[in-house]
Amino acid sequence: MIKIGDRLPSMQLTVMGEKGPEPITTDNIFNGNKVVLFAVPGAFTPGCSLTHLPGFVVNADKIKAAGVDKIVCTSVNDAFVMGAWGKDQNAEHIVMLADGNGDFAAALGLSLDASAHQMGMRSKRYAMIVNDGVIELLNIDEKGVDKSSAETILNAL
């Protein structure tokens, strides 16, 4: 599993653009930027839609005022779902990063087997602060949304 001080892997993921899904690399997102990255097990799921993403939407200005260049939300969902969820949640200041096959979660060692709930392989719920591609803080929630909440990350900044 990835840890503090490690560099995020270089790989391609997807975001929803104006004309449909567009490729984007982790290098493009993280290199040269201070980024708050948080992951959810699934878009439109209760904890993710009622607590996790809304906290980052509400606190986006405060997080950016603390020196963060980008706020990124990732989930093992396709770009269409991530784009729709972002619109539904008014997350226009957050990069909605689709990890459609779960490759990013697996590369980080943060996959979650949700097969028992008919959800297949997903991402664990976590948040990290990444500076120029290097992890400075990594908080993983095994239950709930306490360690990876926007408020917790804001306090760490």
Side-chain angles (χ1 to χ4, degrees):
M1 183 173 71
I2 202 154
K3 61 189 181 312
I4 293 172
D6 287 349
R7 178 166 290 283
L8 291 178
S10 180
M11 57 192 312
Q12 183 174 298
L13 297 164
T14 311
V15 292
M16 181 53 76
E18 296 206 7
K19 296 182 181 181
E22 297 177 355
I24 189 167
T25 66
T26 53
D27 292 341
N28 179 265
I29 295 169
F30 297 103
N31 291 356
N33 293 303
K34 186 165 188 174
V35 179
V36 168
L37 168 68
F38 68 101
V40 299
F44 291 106
T45 58
C48 306
S49 290
L50 297 175
T51 304
H52 209 180
L53 179 56
F56 283 95
V57 170
V58 169
N59 288 293
D61 290 339
K62 292 178 187 173
I63 292 169
K64 289 191 173 184
V68 171
D69 299 304
K70 297 178 185 181
I71 303 169
V72 178
C73 174
T74 187
S75 183
V76 180
N77 289 108
D78 63 54
F80 294 101
V81 170
M82 291 300 286
W85 190 40
K87 283 182 183 177
D88 181 70
Q89 293 284 319
N90 299 312
E92 60 271 356
H93 300 295
I94 298 174
V95 177
M96 302 300 286
L97 187 64
D99 182 18
N101 293 327
D103 296 336
F104 186 61
L108 299 180
L110 293 170
S111 293
L112 170 69
D113 186 352
S115 298
H117 305 289
Q118 300 299 310
M119 294 175 66
M121 293 302 291
R122 296 291 177 140
S123 174
K124 289 184 178 183
R125 184 183 306 280
Y126 65 84
M128 60 176 73
I129 298 171
V130 182
N131 197 352
D132 194 26
V134 177
I135 300 170
E136 292 185 340
L137 174 83
L138 173 60
N139 290 354
I140 303 168
D141 279 309
E142 297 302 327
K143 288 189 177 190
V145 188
D146 298 325
K147 294 178 184 176
S148 63
S149 72
E151 295 79 7
T152 298
I153 297 305
L154 186 56
N155 287 334
L157 291 166

